[in-house]
Amino acid sequence: MNIQFKKGVLELLVLAMLKKSDQYGYDISDAISQKISISAGTVYPILRKMKEDGLVTTYLSEESSGPARKYYKLTPLGLKKYDSLSKEWVSFMSITKQFLEE
């Protein structure tokens, strides 16, 4: 897949996953990499930037089988960002589809 396509949609994919539930960073990376070829560390800078921008918060969760894991949780601002980006994406895809079908 074209790398520019990936760069444009990764933030939206991360937000979409966090909209469904709080997520562990590795789980986000793993789920995306099962459908889109990305390197293992691709998602972490996105999550870090989202935290800096107030789109997500983090918390540690104790696991019985190992060390505490950092989970990411969408904030109300993050939910607004998801809504905005998803609407933009749908519009963009619709316009793109029109050009491809001409």
Side-chain angles (χ1 to χ4, degrees):
M1 179 182 285
N2 182 306
I3 193 160
Q4 295 303 318
F5 293 166
K6 288 186 223 180
K7 283 183 182 180
V9 76
L10 282 175
E11 182 180 13
L12 178 56
L13 297 179
V14 171
L15 288 169
M17 289 190 65
L18 291 172
K19 183 177 184 267
K20 293 176 186 171
S21 66
D22 298 357
Q23 302 273 330
Y24 176 53
Y26 175 82
D27 291 338
I28 295 170
S29 181
D30 186 53
I32 293 172
S33 68
Q34 288 181 22
K35 300 192 185 250
I36 299 173
S37 177
I38 60 169
S39 62
T42 301
V43 169
Y44 293 99
I46 295 168
L47 288 167
R48 191 169 26 254
K49 176 86 168 81
M50 286 180 171
K51 185 172 182 192
E52 290 170 6
D53 293 345
L55 304 178
V56 299
T57 59
T58 60
Y59 62 91
L60 292 177
S61 178
E62 297 290 328
E63 300 290 326
S64 60
S65 61
R69 292 180 169 187
K70 183 191 288 188
Y71 280 80
Y72 294 84
K73 178 181 179 73
L74 204 58
T75 65
L77 182 62
L79 183 57
K80 283 184 180 181
K81 180 74 170 184
Y82 166 79
D83 288 339
S84 172
L85 282 179
S86 63
K87 286 175 186 168
E88 285 181 52
W89 182 257
V90 169
S91 175
F92 176 76
M93 290 302 299
S94 175
I95 292 165
T96 302
K97 186 176 179 190
Q98 289 173 19
F99 275 97
L100 294 175
E101 292 174 346
E102 290 180 350

